[in-house]
Amino acid sequence: MNKRLLTGLQPSGELTIGNYIGGIRQVVNYEKDYETFLFVPDMHSITVPQDPETLHRRVREIVGMYLACGVSPTENHIYVQSEIPQHANLSWILECSAYIGELSRMTQFKAKAEGKKEIGCGLFTYPVLMAADILLYNAQYVPTGADQKQHVELARNLAQRFNAKYGDTFVVPEPLIPKVGAKIRDLLSPDKKMSKSAANPRGSIFLNDPEKAIRKKIMGAVTDSDTFVKFDEENKPGVSNLLTIYACFSDTSIEETEKHFADARYGDLKKEVAELLVEKLTVLQDKFAEIMKSGLVDETLDRGRDAVRPIAEETYDKVRRLVGLGRL
Ligand code: ATP
Ligand code: MG
């Protein structure tokens, strides 16, 4: 059997170029070699407040974007998390063996809870649900950006803990983190990662941004007070970010990109990055519009749901029996 690969992007906002590079692009590269599970983690999205109508719309749109980015509608299982109830069921069982200490150490939890008076429990247990998403399908590989590495690590720990107690049940997953583009940075705060739900949208390039916004945001990207272009993530995070974006969207290496811009000034670098993004994202946006007018999204999601449901049911049934739930 083909090894399984699984990933998902939350419908918590419009997808960014970071999501494309860290998430979708990897699926496009790997889908031929693995049985691929690409899901819409809508249950993760409600760990922070969401408008119900917008969330419904985004569930479909995000799949439209997956497809517009080149993900095959037939080579993969594309489905909505909340349509498979075993995600939540398994999450509960895993939650009962997860420790408050290990969840408290999660960087994403700390970042998303920062400054909030009331912190939802879902935000805290989010990584356990993510572990359930992965373990339910016994996925071996999980392509993600660097930000999710810690969560995949937790999924590994929970799988090993369960296996040690109840016998070999879960495949222990491994993260697949791209060598280039694992952390696309916010254009205005290069110390942070670009996020679709960032407070200031001017720091993120969204896949559906109009041409004018793309140019404006890239031209306004924070760089540094030097005048030379060099890839140095530690000392020149803003410039290195622009080089990374260029390398990823032009399918060239960082070294080649650095050479290409060796004599460029920051203004020239930004202009060329903006030009490339406008060119690539316009094509993508046209495809997206076409897909959304067709019935492809619902067809794909129906097929995906029907394909994964028996797998989820089988794993969950095995697990609940091992734990002692329900009747044998
Ligand atoms: P949110 O702000 O709602 O958490 P997000 O932009 O972090 O949104 P997620 O849905 O949490 O997006 O993550 C989807 C995928 O995109 C994950 O694989 C994640 O690792 C990847 N990803 C997110 N941000 C970046 C980034 N800045 N660079 C590279 N990959 C990223
Ligand atoms: Mg995130």
Side-chain angles (χ1 to χ4, degrees):
M1 190 184 67
N2 251 358
K3 287 220 165 135
R4 288 179 175 163
L5 177 142
L6 176 143
T7 196
L9 296 97
Q10 293 184 67
S12 48
E14 309 299 332
L15 289 177
T16 70
I17 54 172
N19 300 138
Y20 172 73
I21 293 169
I24 304 181
R25 196 177 60 136
Q26 294 212 78
V27 173
V28 177
N29 290 340
Y30 288 124
E31 67 184 9
K32 278 177 205 67
D33 303 325
Y34 302 102
E35 182 183 6
T36 303
F37 293 70
L38 177 57
F39 70 110
V40 183
D42 53 346
M43 290 159 69
H44 284 276
S45 296
I46 61 165
T47 54
V48 296
Q50 299 289 341
D51 167 58
E53 252 177 60
T54 311
L55 185 56
H56 275 311
R57 177 173 56 77
R58 283 192 176 135
V59 165
R60 297 181 73 259
E61 282 181 359
I62 209 160
V63 176
M65 250 327 163
Y66 290 168
L67 301 174
C69 288
V71 168
S72 161
T74 49
E75 295 260 333
N76 306 299
H77 306 308
I78 302 179
Y79 56 99
V80 182
Q81 180 188 35
S82 63
E83 293 180 8
I84 307 289
Q86 286 78 14
H87 287 251
N89 295 355
L90 180 60
S91 182
W92 176 250
I93 294 176
L94 295 176
E95 229 174 86
C96 293
S97 69
Y99 308 132
I100 288 179
E102 62 191 345
L103 296 187
S104 307
R105 284 195 294 275
M106 296 291 144
T107 318
Q108 176 180 284
F109 169 68
K110 287 192 244 173
K112 292 199 176 186
E114 197 188 339
K116 290 206 174 74
K117 263 204 201 130
E118 307 281 14
I119 300 159
C121 294
L123 204 55
F124 186 66
T125 54
Y126 173 119
V128 185
L129 178 58
M130 179 166 155
D133 298 335
I134 302 167
L135 303 185
L136 195 54
Y137 302 100
N138 281 308
Q140 174 92 52
Y141 299 113
V142 183
T144 66
D147 60 305
Q148 295 295 330
K149 186 168 179 243
Q150 200 183 22
H151 291 169
V152 180
E153 201 57 51
L154 178 84
R156 290 173 60 82
N157 291 340
L158 292 179
Q160 280 160 343
R161 203 170 295 161
F162 192 97
N163 289 350
K165 187 159 181 194
Y166 298 102
D168 235 1
T169 309
F170 293 123
V171 168
V172 180
E174 293 163 42
L176 283 181
I177 297 170
K179 284 205 180 73
V180 177
K183 181 181 174 183
I184 298 298
R185 295 162 185 274
D186 187 279
L187 298 173
L188 297 178
S189 316
D191 54 316
K192 294 200 189 95
K193 83 169 190 77
M194 187 181 283
S195 283
K196 67 172 109 68
S197 56
N200 188 348
R202 282 179 299 146
S204 305
I205 302 276
F206 300 104
L207 297 182
N208 60 6
D209 263 345
E211 179 176 344
K212 215 170 138 193
I214 297 173
R215 292 191 200 278
K216 204 167 165 199
K217 288 179 188 178
I218 293 289
M219 295 316 286
V222 168
T223 48
D224 51 55
S225 54
D226 298 337
T227 49
F228 56 94
V229 175
K230 188 174 185 304
F231 186 80
D232 176 349
E233 285 195 290
E234 201 168 312
N235 300 308
K236 297 168 79 66
V239 168
S240 304
N241 195 36
L242 292 171
L243 289 171
T244 304
I245 294 170
Y246 188 91
C248 291
F249 275 90
S250 61
D251 264 326
T252 45
S253 66
I254 291 287
E255 292 74 27
E256 282 172 287
T257 304
E258 210 180 9
K259 238 188 250 162
H260 177 74
F261 288 109
D263 302 317
R265 284 178 300 199
Y266 288 174
D268 303 327
L269 167 69
K270 287 179 174 178
K271 261 191 212 142
E272 248 191 87
V273 172
E275 203 52 51
L276 178 66
L277 284 175
V278 166
E279 183 196 317
K280 299 283 181 186
L281 297 188
T282 311
V283 174
L284 201 132
Q285 290 165 9
D286 290 346
K287 274 196 208 150
F288 173 74
E290 230 172 81
I291 290 166
M292 293 312 289
K293 273 190 276 173
S294 74
L296 189 60
V297 167
D298 285 309
E299 264 169 48
T300 305
L301 285 176
D302 288 349
R303 196 173 45 240
R305 178 200 57 210
D306 294 345
V308 303
R309 186 187 276 148
I311 305 172
E313 283 173 352
E314 192 187 326
T315 309
Y316 179 71
D317 203 51
K318 182 174 176 193
V319 171
R320 66 113 192 139
R321 282 165 192 272
L322 284 169
V323 174
L325 294 183
R327 287 181 281 172
L328 263 180

